[in-house]
Amino acid sequence: MTVNTTASRRRFLFLSGLGLIAGCSTTSVLTPTPGVEDHTAAALLIVNKLREAKGLPALSSNGPARKAAAVQAIRMAKADQMKHLIGLGDDFASRMKRSDVSLPAAENIATGQSSVEAAVQAWIDSPKHLHNMLGGFSGLGVAVAKAKDGRPYWAMVLSG
């Protein structure tokens, strides 16, 4: 092997390594996902107003919770089913872990509402969902995805 060949291989390996490092990034959590809309900002306004009225601290937008909400909304839309668990072997804790959501966490789901305001109101009107929104969480993510027939599937993830 000549010196030039060795130098070329080292340069290739070095540049290849940089490509791998550059490709490892957590910014994809905040990158828009095709087929899903993030409604976290609008939901935060409603939920935080509710929490303030109860003397609770405000929630903030949370990247992993936003990602987990988007994933769940897409899963439900693809299955055309409003369910927390879809398919064999599905479990909440593993889904949250895959999205890097801090535990404890909770998830509210809904379908059919035409706006984030209507979805959040449906959760407020449900004692169990309201309990989640008033719980000891700090982060929030809300997303909607539509099934082939246009039916919206909403997911809210609250994180620790």
Side-chain angles (χ1 to χ4, degrees):
M1 183 182 299
T2 66
V3 175
N4 286 343
T5 305
T6 303
S8 294
R9 285 185 181 174
R10 284 185 185 150
R11 193 172 321 128
F12 172 76
L13 292 173
F14 176 76
L15 292 174
S16 295
L18 283 180
L20 291 174
I21 292 169
C24 295
S25 171
T26 58
T27 57
S28 64
V29 169
L30 303 178
T31 302
T33 304
V36 68
E37 297 174 13
D38 185 308
H39 286 273
T40 303
L44 275 170
L45 295 173
I46 303 165
V47 174
N48 281 337
K49 185 175 180 181
L50 176 69
R51 289 176 65 89
E52 181 182 18
K54 302 283 186 183
L56 297 171
L59 301 176
S60 60
S61 177
N62 177 274
R66 289 170 57 194
K67 178 181 176 183
V71 167
Q72 181 62 9
I74 289 170
R75 292 174 71 229
M76 291 187 300
K78 284 183 178 177
D80 205 5
Q81 296 180 346
M82 187 183 79
K83 289 179 150 184
H84 291 282
L85 304 178
I86 300 170
L88 294 174
D90 189 13
D91 75 274
F92 179 74
S94 294
R95 264 195 303 114
M96 294 302 110
K97 186 176 181 177
R98 283 191 300 272
S99 292
D100 297 320
V101 172
S102 297
L103 299 176
E107 178 179 77
N108 291 345
I109 58 175
T111 188
Q113 295 79 8
S114 61
S115 68
V116 65
E117 294 82 8
V120 173
Q121 188 60 53
W123 292 321
I124 290 170
D125 293 341
S126 165
K128 288 182 181 181
H129 294 104
L130 177 62
H131 178 77
N132 286 344
M133 291 186 291
L134 298 178
F137 301 106
S138 60
L140 181 77
V142 177
V144 65
K146 293 185 178 171
K148 288 181 182 179
D149 66 359
R151 183 171 185 78
Y153 286 88
W154 295 88
M156 171 187 278
V157 173
L158 300 119
S159 64

